[in-house]
Amino acid sequence: MNGMVYLVGAGPGDYRLITLKGKQCLEKADVVICDYLADKRLLAFAPENIEYIYVGKKAGNHAMRQEDISQLIADKAKEGKCVVRLKGGDPFVFGRGGEEAEVLKQNGINFEIVPGVTSAIAAPAYAGIPVTNRKVAVSFAVITGHEDPTKGKSDINWEKLSTAVDTLVFLMGVGNLPHITGQLIKYGRSADTPAALVRWGTKAEQEVLITTVGKAAEDVIKHNLKPPAVFIVGNVVNLRSTIQWFDNKPLFGKNILITRAREQASRLTEKLEELGANCIEAPAIKIAPPDDDFTSLDSAIAKIREYDWIIFTSTNGVERFFARLNEKNLDVRALSRAKIAAIGTSTAAKLKNYGIIADKVPTMFKAEGILDVLKEDITPGTKVLIPRAQKAREALPQGLRRMGATVDVAETYCTKMADTNKAQIKNLLQNGRIDMVTFTSSSTVENLLKLIDNEAALLNNVKKAAIGPITAQTCKQKGLDVDIEADIYTIDGLVDKIKNFRG
């Protein structure tokens, strides 16, 4: 039985602009065949065990000939697999999706076309340039800037195109710009017509060059603007000064390294990207079972109804505690005797997911804060359970014992160094491609340094942002200056501090 092929438009650059159907196709893929302009973060939507094949093509560097790509797609489908051919932009807007579909038809392979957002409209939009406007432009055309070189002569009717359409959008035209602008001027387009080039449109590294038809080729050389870029011609370009929006964001153009565990990084990444940042997720840690194989936690669960207080110190602790509780065929009712305390609003919010409203949540999100709010509740003999990370500060259990409490510490998880691409991270730091690094725990500090072979000097010119004083203290102990320290020790607090940082 042959499989199924989906020719999916990946969108113009920002991975979040893929369509809902495109995402659904990736979720059931066995094979993903990806091109140069498709963001690899889209693979997060696909199963972990997919077969990934890169067939990218860019000027002067083709990973594979188009004929071979088309046949590869068909061959993989003949193996009975679900194949997603992931193409930048839209498959049928200079994406050669039609050629691939023809080969699939010839081979008797079932396929579907999943349209994508084309850069022809998205890149101008992110630059604040509408391709149409009732007062300025009532028509637009999308033209290849790189015709098939084997054709011998151009199929573009320059004489009619140059003045018949209000807005012209050329894709893949940077290398051919002198010819394009020369033809436009030759056939009647004024050299003074406003023009713009948008490089890496919709991405945090987007560049916009405002020029004119007559000066465009010269300005590209002057400003060293490289492909890929969209070339826009028409009076709509003037509207950028009024409706520019994307590159006005407070963190636009900033490259921020996210060291949080992979399963937790998305929320921080999402919030920073909303502010215009380009986030590079390089998890310095991964969450794993504790080294004692849950011995201390199982012991605590066996006598869970004896505790007067249970204190949760992190969202990870909450998740791992309840997962183990369920494995023991118990649920939240087992905690009915105990009162619950949470260090931090995020931990308290996570508890609500399990139907628990914390009795105590300190305003200071660390051990000293919880000790202060519990000082009237702890008496000699009070039994307290602290489900927490394997490696943690002893301030909380020690402080409770000084108050007379009997304290059990249950190890619910540990943090270990993640399997991150060390060479890639070191290369980005060595080449000054990282503006800021975020630390959300002491373990992210320690493990990032291990990841870069303890070459702390690589972080000298990088701004360091810490989620709170404990993490900041670890940075300083490791010889790292802290530029940003959150006042509220949560992801929202950290993001807010980064947003307002001027340095």
Side-chain angles (χ1 to χ4, degrees), residues 43-301:
L43 296 178
F45 298 133
E48 287 188 13
N49 60 345
I50 58 136
E51 180 181 1
Y52 171 74
I53 304 172
Y54 175 74
V55 294
K57 298 195 293 284
K58 52 184 176 178
N61 184 8
H62 290 197
M64 189 180 292
R65 295 186 314 142
Q66 181 59 51
E67 295 81 359
D68 296 331
I69 294 171
S70 299
Q71 192 57 52
L72 172 67
I73 299 168
D75 290 344
K76 287 296 176 182
K78 287 178 181 178
E79 296 174 11
K81 295 178 178 178
C82 176
V83 181
V84 170
R85 170 66 168 114
L86 198 58
K87 305 173 73 67
D90 179 273
F92 281 8
V93 181
F94 305 122
R96 305 189 75 169
E99 297 171 46
E100 293 171 355
E102 287 179 316
V103 172
L104 293 172
K105 190 70 173 179
Q106 291 162 7
N107 281 265
I109 306 295
N110 290 325
F111 64 88
E112 288 187 18
I113 311 298
V114 182
V117 180
T118 172
S119 61
I121 57 172
Y126 269 60
I129 301 170
V131 293
T132 64
N133 180 281
R134 286 198 302 172
K135 296 179 181 178
V136 181
V138 296
S139 61
F140 76 98
V142 181
I143 310 104
T144 179
H146 184 72
E147 286 190 274
D148 184 346
T150 65
K151 290 194 303 185
K153 69 180 186 67
S154 174
D155 287 332
I156 299 174
N157 192 330
W158 291 103
E159 183 175 3
K160 293 182 178 179
L161 177 71
S162 297
T163 57
V165 181
D166 295 319
T167 305
L168 303 175
V169 182
F170 292 88
L171 304 185
M172 304 167 290
V174 173
N176 207 23
L177 207 55
H179 174 72
I180 293 170
T181 55
Q183 292 295 99
L184 291 175
I185 294 170
K186 177 180 177 180
Y187 289 105
R189 199 77 171 207
S190 171
D192 295 327
T193 303
L197 287 112
V198 183
R199 182 174 189 264
W200 285 123
T202 79
K203 297 174 75 74
E205 54 262 56
Q206 174 177 293
E207 297 176 51
V208 180
L209 175 62
I210 301 299
T211 181
T212 63
V213 171
K215 294 181 179 178
E218 177 186 342
D219 283 347
V220 161
I221 296 171
K222 178 180 177 182
H223 294 276
N224 195 32
L225 190 137
K226 303 292 185 185
V230 172
F231 181 49
I232 308 142
V233 173
N235 290 329
V236 290
V237 170
N238 291 331
L239 293 171
R240 172 173 161 81
S241 61
T242 303
I243 58 177
Q244 179 182 351
W245 63 277
F246 179 56
D247 36 14
N248 288 343
K249 291 191 173 190
L251 298 181
F252 177 78
K254 297 294 183 183
N255 296 310
I256 301 181
L257 190 67
I258 308 294
T259 60
R260 210 171 190 216
R262 190 177 305 278
E263 58 267 32
Q264 299 172 318
S266 59
R267 184 161 168 263
L268 178 55
T269 294
E270 180 181 330
K271 287 183 173 292
L272 292 172
E273 286 182 337
E274 285 296 320
L275 296 171
N278 176 43
C279 293
I280 301 104
E281 291 187 356
I285 62 171
K286 62 180 178 182
I287 308 300
D291 290 340
D292 72 357
D293 198 27
F294 297 110
T295 299
S296 59
L297 181 55
D298 289 348
S299 175
I301 289 174

